[in-house]
Structure formats: structure tokens, C-alpha cells
Amino acid sequence: MSGTTPNAAAAQSNGEAHSDPEPSARPPLNATGNGNASSTTPKRKPSQHIRLADHFQRPHLAGDHRTLSDALRAERSREEQETLLGDDELAGPDGCLREEGQETGPRQVFHPDANTGLNIYYTIHRIRRLVLASIEDPYTKDQLKEPRMNVLVVKPLVDRLYDDEDISVVYCLLVNRMQFLREQHFQHHHQTVNLTRANLCELVAMKVLRRHDEEATGRQGLLLLARILVAPFQPFQNAPADICPRPRQWQYNFQGGYEGKLTALEVAIVSESKTLLSSSACQKVIDAVYRGRVVYTPTTFLDILPDHYKHKPISLYDPRKAPLLNQYRLIVPRTRYLIEVTQFVVLLALYCFAMIEQNHADFTSAEALFMVYAAGWTLDECCSMLEHGWTVHTQELWAFLDLTFVAVYLCYFFARIYAWTVGNTDYGRQALDILAIAAPILFPRLAFNLMPENMLFIALRAMVKEFTALSLIAVWCFGGFLLSLKWLSMGAAHVDSVDSPNTITVSKWMLWIWFGLDGTGIEKAPAFHEVLGPALMVVYAFLGNTLFLTILISILSNTFSQIAADATSEIQFRRAVSTFEGVKSDSLFAYFSPFNLVGLFVLLPLKFILTPRWFHKINITIVRILNAPLLLCIAWYERRYLWKPARKPVGGLGLSHSKMKGWGWWNTFNAHAEIQKVFDEDPPEEVLRQIEEEDDLEDAILENSFAGTAAALARSRSPGNAGSAGVGQAKARRRRLSSVC
């Protein structure tokens, strides 16, 4: 921190808060020792920094403490956010919920950006100054989460930056985190300090988002959190005109003022803010977007077939008010996931069928079908990569497998077309041989699709990345041994230059030594040179087979341990990436392979001929016709299961209408059925009233003291036992209430 350490600041704040002023202040002495007031040094101006004394207090002694009732209200708010929208809540003909004060007629065709008045540029640089002034020494992420650092650094920043009317603070904090991470790679003398500042930005962003979640409850609170995370912002928004760069606009990909804007969720993914993305408030929004309860029109980097005639605002979705053939439900992440898995299963089946029926001399029907379908699948992969850029796309769990298959398929495609053009069967055989090596890529990819949250696959992705980098470094370093051995063999007097081992043979010997498979290279070493040849081979064996492999195993073990230690954050981070990638904007995603090829070659020329309105009409008409059965299935499912049904007790049984309709022997034929049913419905009013009399929740404070969480003792009155004789009133007793987080 600027100018003082946390301990000194704490001592100073304690002294200011608890020490009483003396009756008479002693005048300061000048250089000669006199106490003349005219010779005293000028007084310092009051500091404008954060007053730590205002925040150095115990939460359970503050006036805004959290009670058990607050915890229960938060739980009821969470249930409300997952419950079916009420009939009194207005939704437009597109199924999007209208807010209070909005007109009930049709929405605007293109919804303008409602956040253009926010001063993003000012907030970004204000946050940077505050973070630079708060951190001057390196701290780990665990140290930043300690109570002392929370009171001295984190909480004052949260109090300063939180604004219930400014939804861009989280975005600005994450932008600063990206900048500090970037500076970490270039300013080596401040490397660890910049990492600490980046972690502080993420921690403050998480707490600001949590405070928004606590202040705004219900479905409107969910909508507010969604706006904070998926509303687009531009870093130079409302900056002085002389420093603003030229806007990046391309008429072909015109987005009506949304060009170049990013969301806080995308910045969090790029900066790998796993602590923020794994928080409950963020996961609440991610789950709502994944299921399609929250809908919005995403901003993109580049669309191959753009259709931005309409732009929908961030809103809640009511499937009961939406049309049956709603083509926008095809870009819901959960729907996209099921569609992509189905498409890949079809691709894998066609690949196996084509390889079984292969004929290098001519095209078979199976190979032609696979070639066309795989071309459409490759086009879909290219659209995904262009939509949000390389950095976001490669964060997906199976992206490296997809890109590898695309490279293999393109090599096969051009080799096969060339062989068919020139009529050379040898080239055709080589093309099919290239396609055969795609099998080790496609089969693991299916496992990645079916088990995306499996810890083994998440760790495997990171370990493959580390292994590839270390292997390339090893090949680079050990290339010197290869050149030395080759040049020694060329200069040997008893070996002809023609008979000397070629480079491939020497590389094979070195590879066998590296993996400890064979010692032929050591046996042949005297042929290179009587002394230097064996010496080089032995040194290489020590470095490659012993030292390097030991280092490689240690690094991979450390990588797996780090991922396993924070498995929940890793899984939720991958879930956030797949959810963000699942909300598509390009119109080609509505055409499944191989129809996206037809859409590309038919609709792309029309894009330059028709007006945006007519192009939009033709586009959605074709999409609805091609996907009519799927859209009907989606509409039927979402009207029944998208939102949880509201709890409506019926009679004295406390069963809802939906439960009574499905009541049957198949619901009761379970040894543990009653355990779940006891929580399906709310208790009756008399039971709730009795519970409230038993435990006075308003007096039970959730204590979370500076040193740790302590249990609170609260007095409660127990109702009398009706079956006990002679007991006419409740017995007073003390009950220890545990803390609820």
C-alpha cells in the first residue's frame, strides 16, 4: 500500500479510533527548541486517501449486520429467480419480459445501447490509480483474502467503487486486471506486484458483483446481474475526443453502434478470472444464460453471414408468450450443445463408414457424403473461431482437437481433389492415409463432448499444453547434439561420407535413447568418433533420458496438483467458456451441416443485393422451414421445463397441482422417495408460525468476526408441549444458532 504497510496502517487507525485527545496539545518545537507558534512547521493538509478507520470494525458490531432472516430471504430470492414467470408479468410477442414502465406494444426492431451515458474511460483510469495506490508489495491470492487485508484494502475499495446505478464497474475492474497481467510480462522488476494488483482487481470485482446480488433480489436482481456481465462496453466510451481512436466499422458487418464492444464475461474469460467466474452470483447468470432464461444479442468480432437487422436487449424469456417457431432458441447454449454433440456423432459415423468403404482409385458414395458433411462442419468451426477471436475459442476444452482435425481434413481434401484431377491413384492413396490419422483425434473428442466437466479431461488439456511446450523446447535444445553427431560422421576418416548415417537414422537413435527403448545409438557412437562420439551420446542420455524426463514428470505432476486443488473453479470456468461460446450471432449457425454450405453460397450473394429488412425476412423463413420439427420440440420442452413451477399448496395435503397430476405408483416406488418429497412443498402456515415462535430469527445475528466466525447465542421461546400435563406456557431456554453463509 502506498506510504505504509498494512500493520502500520492498522496501528494508526486503531490509535485514531480509540485514543482520547489530550486536554492541552504541546506546541511543536522549532530548530532552536523554542515553542513559538510562528516558527512551527506548516500543518499537513487532510489526506484524501481511504480512511481505514471507517472500515476497521467487526462486522457483527456494525449496524448493517446480516441475520438469519437475511439468509432466508436470499434463499427465497434464489428460488424466485428459478420459478416460472407470473401471469401478471408482461412479456412481448417475442417472449421477452417487459420491465416496469415499458410499453406493451411491439419492441423496437433494433434496441439501441442503453449504457452509452456511462463514463467507462474515466472509471477505468480511476480504478487504476486506486489499485496502484493500494498495492506496492507482492501478496499471494490467499493473503489478499485474509481478514486483515480484506479490512485494510479490499473492503475500502469495494465501498468506493460500488454504485448501484453504474453497471460498468465490474467490466472496468477486469479491464485493469488484463492490463496488469500484460505488464507482468514486460516489467520484470514489478512482475509479482502487477500480479498482485491483477488479483486484487478480480477480488474487488467479485465482491462488487456479490453486493449487487445482495442488494437486488428476485428476477429483477437476476436481470441486473445479467446486465453487469453480458452488457457490451467500449474502453474509450465517453473519453476526450482527441484521444479516441477511429471507430472500427465495416459496412458488411455493421452492428448499429455495438462494434468493438466487449462484455465483462468475455474479459473475465480472456483474463482467466476463475475466482470471479466461480462465484455464486456469476454462476447464477451463467446458468440462466445456459438454460435460456436470460436472452440477449451477442456482439461479435466478425460474422461470415451477418444478420443484424434486429438487436434484442438483455431480458428474461417467457416461452409461453413466445412463438412456436422461435429461431432465436437455436442459439441457446444448452440447445447448441445438444446440436453440436449430435452433429459430431454423425461426423464420426460418416468418417468410420468412409474409411471402411475407402477406394483410393475412385470416390465412393460414403466418402463423398463424408467429404461434404465434414466441409460443413469445418465451416461451422471457422465461424466459431472468427466470432469471438482466437483467444476465447482456444479456451474451450476440446478446441485443440477441433483445430487439429480441421488441419488434417484440409490436407486430405486438397490432396484428394488434386489426385482426382490428375488421375493419380498414388496421390489418392496418400490422401486417404492422411485421413486415417484423424481417428486418434475424433474418438477422444467424443469423450470430451460427453464428459466436459470430468476432471481427467480438464487436467489432460492443460498437461498436453505443457507437454507440447516442453517437448518443443527439448527438440530445439537437443538439435545441437544431432548436428554434432552428423558432422562428426562426415569428418570420420574410416567412414565414407556416402555411407555415414543419415539425419533420420541418427534422429531415430536419439529418440530411442530419449524414451529408454534401445541403446543402438550408444553402440554406434564410436563410428562417429572414437572419443567424442560416445561422450556426446552418454551426455545426451543423461540429459534427455534422466534429467529432462524427471523435470517433465515433475512439471506435469505440479500442473495436475494445481488443477485438482481448485477443481471446482476449473470446472466452472470451462462451463462459463462453453456458455459464452454457445450464444451465437452468425446466421450460419442456424443452418446445420451440410446446409450451412448452401446457406453460404446462396444467401451470401443476396446479402449484397437485398435490403437488411428483406434479407432478414428471407433468412428467418428458410431457418424456420429447415428447423421446424426441432423448433417445435424446443417450444414444447421449454414451456414445460424451462422454469420451475411455482409452489401452490392444495388443501391440507400441501401438494401442488403438478405433483397431484403425476402422483402414482411410479413416484412412490422408491425406498427414499419421502426424503425428497418433504422439501417439494412449502410447510403450512401453522408450521411456519410455530417455527418463527421457536427461533426468533431477527435476533440471531450471523456473526463473522475479525478473527473468525463465532456462534451467536440468542434467546428463544419454545412453545408448550401439548402432551405434557401441568405445562401451560412455553419454557424459556437458550439456543445456539449456527452461522449461515
Side-chain angles (χ1 to χ4, degrees), residues 502-576:
N502 56 28
T503 305
I504 297 178
T505 303
V506 177
S507 301
K508 182 172 60 176
W509 292 344
M510 294 178 65
L511 185 63
W512 289 347
I513 294 175
W514 188 5
F515 290 106
L517 301 177
D518 188 36
T520 305
I522 298 178
E523 295 178 359
K524 300 290 186 179
F528 299 102
H529 192 277
E530 295 180 356
V531 178
L532 298 180
L536 282 175
M537 278 295 184
V538 171
V539 171
Y540 168 74
F542 273 111
L543 294 178
N545 183 260
T546 305
L547 180 61
F548 179 78
L549 288 183
T550 303
I551 295 175
L552 178 62
I553 293 173
S554 301
I555 292 177
L556 295 182
S557 300
N558 184 45
T559 301
F560 181 81
S561 300
Q562 291 178 354
I563 295 176
D566 200 9
T568 303
S569 298
E570 291 289 339
I571 292 173
Q572 291 174 344
F573 175 72
R574 299 302 166 189
R575 185 183 303 166

Side-chain angles (χ1 to χ4, degrees), residues 238-379:
N238 290 327
D242 55 341
I243 64 173
C244 289
R246 295 184 59 184
R248 186 183 62 193
Q249 291 184 354
W250 186 23
Q251 188 62 32
Y252 175 75
N253 199 35
F254 180 72
Q255 301 181 36
Y258 289 93
E259 297 87 358
K261 293 187 176 182
L262 302 176
T263 64
L265 182 60
E266 182 174 358
V267 180
I269 291 173
V270 174
S271 61
E272 296 187 0
S273 303
K274 299 179 182 179
T275 303
L276 172 68
L277 293 175
S278 62
S279 62
S280 59
C282 189
Q283 284 296 314
K284 187 186 303 182
V285 176
I286 291 173
D287 182 72
V289 173
Y290 176 78
R291 297 176 182 273
R293 295 171 180 171
V294 173
V295 295
Y296 68 98
T297 301
T299 58
T300 61
F301 174 71
L302 179 62
D303 291 335
I304 296 180
L305 188 63
D307 183 9
H308 300 295
Y309 176 70
K310 288 186 177 182
H311 189 97
K312 294 182 177 295
I314 303 171
S315 57
L316 301 178
Y317 179 73
D318 188 356
R320 301 170 302 174
K321 308 294 179 61
L324 289 177
L325 299 179
N326 188 359
Q327 73 279 1
Y328 294 105
R329 304 310 290 173
L330 296 175
I331 65 173
V332 172
R334 180 170 60 180
T335 306
R336 287 296 310 175
Y337 169 73
L338 297 175
I339 292 173
E340 289 176 358
V341 171
T342 305
Q343 285 182 319
F344 187 79
V345 170
V346 174
L347 176 68
L348 183 60
L350 292 177
Y351 169 77
C352 295
F353 185 46
M355 294 306 297
I356 293 174
E357 301 292 332
Q358 62 176 306
N359 183 3
H360 61 272
D362 194 8
F363 277 104
T364 62
S365 58
E367 184 181 0
L369 184 60
F370 164 76
M371 182 177 290
V372 174
Y373 191 89
W377 191 89
T378 303
L379 176 61

Side-chain angles (χ1 to χ4, degrees), residues 486 489-502:
K486 178 61 179 177
S489 65
M490 294 173 59
H494 59 281
V495 178
D496 191 5
S497 60
V498 179
D499 298 333
S500 63
N502 56 28

Side-chain angles (χ1 to χ4, degrees), residues 204-272:
V204 173
M206 181 191 68
K207 290 184 177 294
V208 169
L209 186 65
R210 180 191 299 174
R211 184 170 295 186
H212 279 289
D213 185 25
E214 294 173 352
E215 295 294 333
T217 59
R219 285 186 284 271
Q220 293 302 320
L222 176 62
L223 189 59
L224 175 62
L225 294 179
R227 288 172 178 166
I228 293 174
L229 290 176
V230 298
F233 301 104
Q234 213 276 340
F236 284 93
Q237 183 171 314
N238 290 327
D242 55 341
I243 64 173
C244 289
R246 295 184 59 184
R248 186 183 62 193
Q249 291 184 354
W250 186 23
Q251 188 62 32
Y252 175 75
N253 199 35
F254 180 72
Q255 301 181 36
Y258 289 93
E259 297 87 358
K261 293 187 176 182
L262 302 176
T263 64
L265 182 60
E266 182 174 358
V267 180
I269 291 173
V270 174
S271 61
E272 296 187 0

Side-chain angles (χ1 to χ4, degrees), residues 689-711:
R689 186 166 53 252
Q690 185 178 4
I691 293 175
E692 291 179 357
E693 293 176 357
E694 178 79 11
D695 298 318
D696 190 3
L697 299 183
E698 293 298 335
D699 295 335
I701 300 175
L702 294 179
E703 291 189 321
N704 186 14
S705 62
F706 183 78
T709 303

Side-chain angles (χ1 to χ4, degrees), residues 546-614:
T546 305
L547 180 61
F548 179 78
L549 288 183
T550 303
I551 295 175
L552 178 62
I553 293 173
S554 301
I555 292 177
L556 295 182
S557 300
N558 184 45
T559 301
F560 181 81
S561 300
Q562 291 178 354
I563 295 176
D566 200 9
T568 303
S569 298
E570 291 289 339
I571 292 173
Q572 291 174 344
F573 175 72
R574 299 302 166 189
R575 185 183 303 166
V577 173
S578 61
T579 300
F580 179 75
E581 278 261 293
V583 184
K584 303 297 186 181
S585 174
D586 200 324
S587 299
L588 284 179
F589 289 111
Y591 300 91
F592 307 140
S593 178
F595 296 105
N596 55 354
L597 297 174
V598 180
L600 177 65
F601 293 110
V602 174
L603 293 179
L604 188 59
L606 295 178
K607 177 70 178 177
F608 300 96
I609 300 174
L610 301 176
T611 61
R613 181 171 178 267
W614 276 104

Side-chain angles (χ1 to χ4, degrees), residues 344 348 351 400-401 404-405 408 433-446 448:
F344 187 79
L348 183 60
Y351 169 77
F400 69 101
L401 294 175
T404 306
F405 173 75
V408 171
D433 292 341
I434 293 174
L435 184 61
I437 65 175
I441 302 171
L442 294 178
F443 281 90
R445 207 278 197 183
L446 181 60
F448 274 76

